[in-house]
Amino acid sequence: MISANNVTLRIGKKALFEDVNIKFTEGNCYGLIGANGAGKSTFLKILSGQLDTTKGDITMTPGQRLSFLEQDHFKYDEYPVMDVVIMGNERLYTIMKEKDAIYAKEDFSDEDGIRASELEAEFAEMDGWEAESNGAMLLNGLGIDTDIHYSLMKDLNGNEKVKVLLAKALFGNPDILLLDEPTNHLDLNAIAWLEEFLINFENTVIVVSHDRYFLNKVCTHTADIDYGKIQLYTGNYDFWYESSQLLIKQMKEANKKKEEKIKELQEFISRFSANASKSKQATSRKKALEKIELDEIKPSSRKYPYIDFRPEREIGNEVLSVENLTKTINGEKVLDHISFIVGHDDKIAFVGGNELAKTTLFKILMGELEPDEGNFKWGVTTSQAYFPKDSTEEFDNDLTIVDWLTGYSPVKDVTYVRGFLGRMLFAGEDGVKKVKVLSGGEKVRCLLSKMMISGANCLVLDEPTNHLDMESITALNNGLIKFKGVALFACHDHQFVQTTANRIMEILPDGSLIDKITSYDEYLESDEMARKRTVYTANKEEDEN
């Protein structure tokens, strides 16, 4: 168990948290939610001891071990992957290293023998002999191939490092597990594995995530941060949303009844206060009026952008044809004779773990890369807007937000441009901020503004939900559902994919394509997908042997 007792945190004059009291108990998974800037990550740092409180304290059941997901992807670059995972249990890792140092001595003394015996006993008690196999199970579950389990961290790519740090946090069955955005940069297969892991995890979990499906799947409770307070609800994210909306509705209805009662009492007092025969009744009603207090209903600190893609031109029947596209990058064939035809009602989700293949395909379709073989053709009635996975170059300039968006607008009127920015929560002075200093979430909202203002009828989006808060993800999700055009997108948000896509494509690790007109949930359950993955895995193992 871990609890916050009268916790207050002030940053300058602003109180981020004020007298927070909350208890997290064993066997439950708590989803910590709130608007961007509400302090979700900060609160996890307070719980983990990385950040001191201004007032109050954190208490934990004596003897329990706390583990948290680290965010520094370069901290362990000089260590082997397996060592980093086992570091998740610091005491076990220390014992292993001390043992190795003793056994490596040339002049092994009696004292060394006694110390080694003590360490071996503690090592066995902590299931040390199973440490590497347990670490390998976590790494494999998250999609880290066995052949790099003993590679140095510096030799891994960014997504692989994220998975290793997550395996480190999960290692050794910690009593309290703190996870800040654990699904970021994970493919859908790894997310599904993590969901099952947490569902079966018997200790305390506190998780921050913008993935609504993930929170619904794993959470038994929801802790909502709003206005410096934390309100605890029993149930997952959807239950919190329904309960919080119901609570507001009930408070409004209660206030309405109170207002009606106040009006009735005031009318009686006004009418009969000067009447001697009814003065006692008027006095009694005055006392009753004084006791009535309206419930304070604060508007939520959450802000939802308004995302509305409106095509300027209706799309024709010929949208996009792709024939035998092939592309090799750094000696790896990521696309192998890919062919498909896009219909005018298609919203296609590109799923699976082959991230490079998806990004490569999108870049080819948008003219940023040339294929090695094959060709593609957009229909004459189509116009495209593109959301790239890496937008670094887009914002590497000294322009203000207004000037930046005006450059892409067909209408060069500042009021017109500011209207689009306002929908994306850039109000007033925000418009004169330089684009190069924007946060990740602000840059995403700028790119979505650019897509909206283009009036395109074909949208290509490569991981658009990265860096967005839950409110913006919900707005983008709803905007794409309503969109009267074609969308091709890659996204790791299960609910986003399930509610938006009517067609699923997966580029397998060998560069081949699975193409199904179906929902995402139906696709995951399909025998064909499971069979093709099994065949591919078997062939790969056969080639390696």
Side-chain angles (χ1 to χ4, degrees):
M1 182 195 76
I2 186 169
S3 60
N5 312 298
N6 295 314
V7 165
T8 296
L9 177 68
R10 294 187 178 278
I11 300 175
K13 294 182 179 180
K14 179 186 177 183
L16 192 58
F17 297 106
E18 190 80 51
D19 294 324
V20 169
N21 289 282
I22 190 169
K23 184 184 294 183
F24 303 99
T25 58
E26 186 177 351
N28 293 316
C29 180
Y30 299 85
L32 191 61
I33 64 172
N36 266 8
K40 301 183 293 295
S41 297
T42 301
F43 190 69
L44 286 189
K45 288 179 180 178
I46 291 172
L47 291 175
S48 65
Q50 298 175 78
L51 192 63
D52 291 329
T53 63
T54 305
K55 188 181 77 171
D57 56 32
I58 303 298
T59 57
M60 198 167 79
T61 302
Q64 290 197 333
R65 184 169 71 86
L66 181 145
S67 180
F68 60 90
L69 176 58
E70 296 185 69
Q71 305 295 325
D72 185 350
H73 301 166
F74 304 99
K75 181 177 179 180
Y76 301 100
D77 270 1
E78 300 305 318
Y79 291 88
V81 168
M82 186 59 73
D83 278 30
V84 174
V85 175
I86 297 174
M87 284 178 193
N89 188 329
E90 186 177 353
R91 178 56 187 159
L92 178 61
Y93 184 74
T94 301
I95 291 171
M96 290 176 63
K97 290 302 164 184
E98 189 176 349
K99 277 201 318 158
D100 291 345
I102 290 174
Y103 291 138
K105 287 185 175 181
E106 293 183 3
D107 52 342
F108 192 84
S109 66
D110 291 341
E111 288 79 8
D112 289 331
I114 293 170
R115 180 56 181 161
S117 178
E118 293 171 347
L119 292 172
E120 290 288 6
E122 189 176 355
F123 183 73
E125 189 177 332
M126 298 178 73
D127 292 328
W129 296 111
E130 306 297 324
E132 291 194 22
S133 61
N134 290 337
M137 180 192 70
L138 294 172
L139 291 169
N140 290 336
L142 289 166
I144 298 295
D145 291 337
T146 303
D147 57 3
I148 61 172
H149 285 190
Y150 294 90
S151 300
L152 291 179
M153 285 287 282
K154 66 182 179 183
D155 297 328
L156 274 58
N157 63 39
N159 288 354
E160 289 169 338
K161 286 182 179 181
V162 169
K163 291 179 177 181
V164 174
L165 291 178
L166 179 54
K168 175 181 181 290
L170 303 177
F171 179 78
N173 196 38
D175 299 290
I176 298 162
L177 179 59
L178 309 181
L179 300 174
D180 190 358
E181 297 293 355
T183 62
N184 275 5
H185 308 291
L186 293 189
D187 57 78
L188 290 163
N189 293 331
I191 292 172
W193 180 89
L194 179 61
E195 288 167 357
E196 290 304 312
F197 181 93
L198 294 179
I199 288 169
N200 294 311
F201 190 73
E202 296 179 350
N203 299 329
T204 305
V205 182
I206 307 170
V207 58
V208 171
S209 177
H210 291 146
D211 189 326
R212 298 157 294 170
Y213 181 90
F214 178 78
L215 292 176
N216 282 328
K217 190 93 170 178
V218 305
C219 292
T220 60
H221 295 71
T222 301
D224 178 32
I225 302 179
D226 214 349
Y227 291 104
K229 302 292 184 182
I230 303 181
Q231 179 72 39
L232 189 61
Y233 295 81
T234 300
N236 60 17
Y237 177 80
D238 280 350
F239 183 85
W240 160 79
Y241 183 79
E242 292 169 5
S243 298
S244 60
Q245 295 303 303
L246 179 61
L247 179 61
I248 292 171
K249 182 180 178 182
Q250 290 173 338
M251 291 173 69
K252 287 181 177 178
E253 289 175 349
N255 275 355
K256 185 177 180 181
K257 290 180 180 178
K258 288 178 183 178
E259 287 168 351
E260 290 172 354
K261 185 64 177 177
I262 288 171
K263 184 178 179 181
E264 177 188 323
L265 292 173
Q266 287 175 335
E267 287 177 351
F268 186 93
I269 294 166
S270 175
R271 185 176 179 185
F272 295 110
S273 58
N275 188 318
S277 64
K278 294 194 175 183
S279 61
K280 287 185 178 181
Q281 294 178 41
T283 301
S284 174
R285 281 166 171 73
K286 280 183 182 179
K287 292 180 180 179
L289 181 61
E290 291 170 358
K291 292 178 181 179
I292 297 177
E293 292 184 4
L294 295 177
D295 294 321
E296 182 183 8
I297 305 176
K298 284 187 175 181
S300 174
S301 59
R302 291 173 172 81
K303 294 181 179 179
Y304 290 82
Y306 179 69
I307 299 178
D308 186 19
F309 301 107
R310 296 186 180 182
E312 287 187 355
R313 182 178 184 180
E314 188 174 341
I315 202 165
N317 290 325
E318 293 184 5
V319 180
L320 171 66
S321 61
V322 174
E323 186 175 357
N324 292 321
L325 279 189
T326 299
K327 184 69 177 178
T328 297
I329 295 181
N330 296 328
E332 179 185 353
K333 184 173 284 188
V334 294
L335 300 176
D336 189 5
H337 295 92
I338 297 293
S339 297
F340 57 88
I341 295 174
V342 177
H344 66 278
D345 292 322
D346 280 345
K347 290 179 180 175
I348 304 172
F350 288 80
V351 302
N354 201 340
E355 305 292 322
L356 179 59
K358 289 180 278 188
T359 296
T360 300
L361 176 62
F362 289 160
K363 285 185 174 181
I364 290 174
L365 296 180
M366 297 309 299
E368 293 188 2
L369 279 178
E370 289 291 330
D372 298 334
E373 297 179 45
N375 56 75
F376 68 93
K377 182 180 180 181
W378 289 99
V380 294
T381 63
T382 66
S383 55
Q384 300 83 39
Y386 179 42
F387 184 104
K389 192 172 191 175
D390 183 1
S391 59
T392 305
E393 292 184 8
E394 184 80 65
F395 298 100
D396 187 19
N397 56 70
D398 287 318
L399 295 174
T400 65
I401 297 176
V402 169
D403 290 341
W404 176 86
L405 187 58
T406 300
Y408 295 107
S409 175
V411 179
K412 304 301 181 183
D413 178 70
V414 172
T415 303
Y416 177 79
V417 172
R418 279 188 174 273
F420 281 88
L421 291 174
R423 295 176 190 176
M424 299 305 293
L425 307 180
F426 293 109
E429 295 299 313
D430 288 339
V432 297
K433 288 173 70 172
K434 296 290 183 72
V435 293
K436 64 181 179 183
V437 301
L438 298 178
S439 68
E442 288 173 326
K443 288 178 180 177
V444 171
R445 286 189 275 124
C446 279
L447 289 171
L448 293 174
S449 299
K450 174 186 170 185
M451 297 184 82
M452 284 194 292
I453 211 167
S454 73
N457 55 24
C458 293
L459 307 180
V460 179
L461 305 102
D462 194 359
E463 301 295 347
T465 61
N466 287 355
H467 306 295
L468 286 183
D469 59 22
M470 205 173 297
E471 292 70 41
S472 297
I473 291 173
T474 300
L476 176 57
N477 194 174
N478 292 337
L480 279 182
I481 290 171
K482 294 186 299 181
F483 177 53
K484 304 296 185 183
V486 166
L488 283 66
F489 66 94
C491 181
H492 289 161
D493 187 304
H494 186 119
Q495 187 169 336
F496 191 99
V497 175
Q498 170 62 18
T499 56
T500 303
N502 55 22
R503 185 174 174 185
I504 304 295
M505 292 190 186
E506 179 174 2
I507 305 173
L508 294 174
D510 63 355
S512 62
L513 180 74
I514 299 175
D515 180 4
K516 300 285 285 185
I517 299 175
T518 183
S519 72
Y520 182 56
D521 284 344
E522 290 170 340
Y523 177 73
L524 289 177
E525 295 169 2
S526 70
D527 292 336
E528 182 179 1
M529 185 199 72
R531 180 180 62 78
K532 287 192 176 182
R533 281 202 179 120
T534 302
V535 169
Y536 171 75
T537 303
N539 289 341
K540 183 181 179 186
E541 290 175 351
E542 188 176 318
D543 292 342
E544 289 173 348
N545 293 333

